[in-house]
Amino acid sequence: TMKLPPFQQGGLDSLCGLYAVVNAVRLSAQPIRLSSESCCELFEVLTGALDAQKKLHKMLIEGLVYPALSHLLHTADHWLKDEFDTSLHYRRPYHTRRPTKSGAINLLAQHLANPRTAAIVGLNHPEGGHWSVASAVTRGGSIVLFDSNKRRLVRGQSQNRSSVRNATELYPRQV
């Protein structure tokens, strides 16, 4: 008999964008420590917002595009205000500009050096696009991830492309 590997989160769904919002809120809401119950409630609020806009099914199958991600961040901000009397500050620095990879990594490093910060980043991987959360940038320019699919690190700008053919890379405009 053939041994079949089990599917993992992300194998059949495209929920990485939703998880990225929840994980970014968890990191940036500190010192408030969001419990598992609070995160489940936030997940329910976010899926409800997508469902109300008739976007939940499409996002589940095809993934999240930036306008929906922005809407989820707005929804999460309102939830934080209602539940914890705190707010979420978010922006898309490269909405109209085309940054270099090193420029995007430098901006991430500056941003993540501040307390209570996280950054949702778009990644390219041989398996397809993926939304994740950057929590730090190392001295070598690698991005440390707080990721829903067990990815831990995106190598920095000093890597040569031929040696990392199957590596995960940052989409500079999706920072």
Side-chain angles (χ1 to χ4, degrees), residues 105 137-143 155-159:
I105 290 172
V137 176
T138 68
R139 288 183 189 206
S142 293
I143 302 167
R155 300 233 184 252
Q157 64 245 33
S158 62
Q159 286 211 313

Side-chain angles (χ1 to χ4, degrees), residues 33-164:
R33 192 162 178 86
L34 297 180
S35 66
S36 293
E37 292 81 14
S38 292
C39 291
C40 286
E41 181 182 327
L42 175 57
F43 189 87
E44 184 178 341
V45 166
L46 296 174
T47 55
L50 288 168
D51 191 40
Q53 290 190 322
K54 308 278 189 234
K55 293 182 179 178
L56 181 59
H57 182 263
K58 184 174 182 165
M59 189 274 315
L60 179 65
I61 304 302
E62 297 177 15
L64 206 57
V65 294
Y66 184 76
L69 182 66
S70 179
H71 175 71
L72 290 179
L73 288 168
H74 181 76
T75 302
D77 180 42
H78 281 283
W79 179 81
L80 275 174
K81 285 177 187 167
D82 291 346
E83 296 296 318
F84 297 99
D85 196 31
T86 191
S87 61
L88 185 66
H89 301 282
Y90 55 94
R91 65 188 176 96
R92 186 177 178 196
Y94 293 123
H95 179 63
T96 58
R97 299 181 299 175
R98 294 200 180 274
T100 63
K101 184 177 174 185
S102 63
I105 290 172
N106 288 336
L107 182 73
L108 277 173
Q110 291 170 12
H111 173 71
L112 295 171
N114 295 306
R116 297 183 54 204
T117 58
I120 296 176
V121 295
L123 304 175
N124 182 24
H125 191 269
E127 299 160 6
H130 179 67
W131 290 106
S132 188
V133 178
S135 61
V137 176
T138 68
R139 288 183 189 206
S142 293
I143 302 167
V144 180
L145 300 176
F146 189 61
D147 189 69
S148 64
N149 200 20
K150 301 180 183 175
R151 291 182 175 102
R152 300 285 182 236
L153 194 71
V154 175
R155 300 233 184 252
Q157 64 245 33
S158 62
Q159 286 211 313
N160 115 16
R161 223 164 142 63
S162 63
S163 68
V164 290

